[in-house]
Amino acid sequence: MRYRRLDLNLLVALDALLSECSVSRAAERLCLGQSATSSALGRLREHFNDPLLVQVGRRLEPTALGLELLPKVRAALALTREIVDAPLNFDPAQCNRHITLVASDYVADVLFSAVSRALAHIAPGVRLSLRDMPLPRDGDVVSEALDYRRSDCVIVPRQRVNPAYSQMPLMTDQLCCIVCAQHPQFAEGLSLADYCAAEHVVREFADGRNLAMDAVHLHELGIERRAAVTVESFVLMPEFIVGTARIATVFQRQAQRFAQRFPLRIHPAPLAFPQAEQVLQWHPYQEHDPAMQWFRGLLLEQAALLDQPGT
């Protein structure tokens, strides 16, 4: 490649020649023949209109221009190496990036407090914006998040994955039920008859459509719950369970977190709900972005830690 009539590859030769002050040693350093290295020196002399290296006795010495150019060439090549090697040398501690991620409040509650703490220690310059799942204009929450909302990545249940976007399995969970620990009803367990007869707290989206996995599965089985309270956030559910005989169907990981803060009892669901898998998706153009590659690895690492005892 030429810049202002200079073949930029000659800068590497210039660095070797001025550093070694010897055509033969420069040729060894460049892995070139001595004639090719001499030819490079000739073209450099022609471009700069200066001999650059002159014979002094039995050795070559740089001219005044050569001495002036050497530190500048070294700095230019060092910067070039830094640019070329950036994907290999990504340092999260030096990263200043604003990352926007779309996920349900369940994922945010279970996973992202740990992710935020990790970022504070490992990559304090990274700013994280969490957005709730959008209402898709065309039924596709992934394209809504990544294309219309310009988010960096989105976490969705497996059944809502868009195969046009890059993806990676992130975490799995199982549905269970929570009831008030202070209420005598359901103290010994929860049968399917109890489940069907009780009042429920359910999660609905803003437009009134309950798209949660438990609602879809119950609809397929022909089971209709008595919804006493509907909320737009999973984290609000315990507030409407405590002090009542109501039931909420939530994910096991979140139920355990709720039970640390509220007087709740966790029961296995009285019917077999399918296992829920959360999938991370991102736009293909970010596939090789070193910052996003590192961030996706951090998400996977923190999700794996959820399975460790005491986490």
Side-chain angles (χ1 to χ4, degrees), residues 240-254:
F240 299 94
I241 295 294
V242 174
T244 76
R246 297 173 186 147
I247 299 170
T249 305
V250 298
F251 291 108
Q252 184 78 33
R253 298 186 196 279
Q254 198 166 34

Side-chain angles (χ1 to χ4, degrees), residues 266-295:
I266 302 172
H267 287 307
L271 66 160
F273 285 106
Q275 188 177 60
E277 181 182 29
Q278 300 289 333
V279 179
L280 177 66
Q281 292 209 263
W282 61 94
H283 211 287
Y285 81 84
Q286 289 186 319
E287 187 71 36
H288 301 293
D289 181 329
M292 293 309 300
Q293 285 181 323
W294 174 82
F295 181 70

